[in-house]
Amino acid sequence: MTPSLRSAGPAPDVVGRLQALFQELRADNLALLDGVYATGVTFEDPLHRVEGLAELKAYFGRLYAAVESIRFDFDTVIAGPGEAMLTWTMRMRHGRLRSGEELALPGATHIRFAERVHYHRDYFDAGALLYERLPVLGTVIRAIRRRV
């Protein structure tokens, strides 16, 4: 799917580089992060906050270690001077989540940048990613969600 773009002008090059990065990123090519992220980047998601490019590489190294396949389908990009919001659906197979069954998780990313991204925050439902996929806890969480 081709993402739609809403901005006063074309999306900054850094947004395109970020999108391309997440189509290629794997545990064995984390050096690709160097071309997109600033050395002092702050990265946040519902599970962690990391400071610095070295910590970001370590974090992604742990995340991608058991990933069998992953891709991001970008939907909407809203870009302005020095920042952008992107919506996406992550499609992933992970050996420790549902026996490698493909998971589809919608989310959004807010970035701030100059030449490189210096702030990156992901928004997604951590329960849908992890907790609902655990054998006992997942059953309990799904039951609670049905009642609410």
Side-chain angles (χ1 to χ4, degrees):
M1 172 188 290
T2 303
S4 61
L5 172 67
R6 297 182 189 146
S7 72
D13 179 55
V14 70
V15 175
R17 289 192 336 254
L18 180 88
Q19 290 174 302
L21 168 71
F22 280 95
Q23 299 307 355
E24 299 176 44
L25 192 63
R26 303 292 178 265
D28 63 352
N29 66 3
L30 297 173
L32 293 175
L33 294 166
D34 296 339
V36 175
Y37 289 96
T39 304
V41 65
T42 297
F43 176 92
E44 296 180 84
D45 66 20
L47 306 171
H48 291 88
R49 176 185 170 100
V50 297
E51 299 282 342
L53 186 54
E55 287 297 317
L56 183 61
K57 286 180 182 179
Y59 180 55
F60 279 140
R62 291 187 302 274
L63 286 178
Y64 279 75
V67 168
E68 296 169 5
S69 67
I70 188 167
R71 83 170 193 273
F72 288 83
D73 296 329
F74 290 97
D75 300 314
T76 301
V77 175
I78 302 170
E83 69 182 320
M85 289 290 299
L86 301 86
T87 62
W88 42 262
T89 301
M90 177 180 67
R91 300 186 186 285
M92 175 180 68
R93 292 184 191 278
H94 192 286
R96 290 181 279 191
L97 298 175
R98 291 275 180 128
S99 303
E101 168 189 324
E102 184 176 86
L103 311 174
L105 180 72
T109 296
H110 176 216
I111 59 171
R112 292 185 186 128
F113 52 85
E115 293 297 313
R116 290 191 168 87
V117 174
H118 58 83
Y119 176 80
H120 178 144
R121 182 165 184 178
D122 283 340
Y123 299 89
F124 58 84
D125 182 352
L129 176 63
L130 295 175
Y131 312 126
E132 291 182 25
R133 309 236 185 270
L134 299 173
V136 175
L137 186 58
T139 303
V140 172
I141 290 173
R142 286 188 300 277
I144 291 170
R145 283 189 185 217
R146 280 192 298 268
R147 291 184 183 191
V148 175

